[in-house]
Amino acid sequence: MALMITDECINCDVCEPECPNDAISMGEAFYEIDPHKCTECVGHFDEPQCVQICPVACIPVNPEFIESREILLRKYEQLTQAKT
């Protein structure tokens, strides 16, 4: 599952630097999560760091990108290999 940021985002800038996959960036009106880079922090942390730090709880699961933990781990491995 990839996460998404809803329009309740207050652009507080705390989530972007917490993302180990660089999946979060500023969109036109508020921050966005690239579902192709989001692993919900699988491979890095036990819980999604953006969800933990978000002061307004505006980061739910993206219903268009439902992925198992196994798929997220494979995505993590691919992203990690691409960085090296």
Side-chain angles (χ1 to χ4, degrees):
M1 298 171 280
L3 300 172
M4 61 186 277
I5 298 176
T6 66
D7 60 1
E8 284 118 15
C9 176
I10 59 172
N11 294 325
C12 66
D13 303 320
V14 298
C15 62
E16 183 180 26
E18 294 298 316
C19 182
N21 295 324
D22 298 322
I24 301 174
S25 62
M26 179 53 87
E28 286 188 35
F30 51 89
Y31 280 92
E32 298 175 345
I33 297 176
D34 180 344
H36 303 290
K37 291 183 177 180
C38 179
T39 64
E40 291 188 39
C41 290
V42 168
H44 295 283
F45 302 101
D46 292 332
E47 297 182 39
Q49 298 301 287
C50 60
V51 173
Q52 295 299 311
I53 200 162
C54 181
V56 292
C58 68
I59 307 176
V61 170
N62 186 334
E64 294 180 23
F65 291 91
I66 304 298
E67 300 165 304
S68 69
R69 184 164 181 83
E70 181 179 289
I71 291 172
L72 292 171
L73 188 55
R74 274 190 266 147
K75 190 191 305 186
Y76 158 77
E77 291 167 354
Q78 291 171 348
L79 288 168
T80 303
Q81 288 176 359
K83 285 184 177 183
T84 58

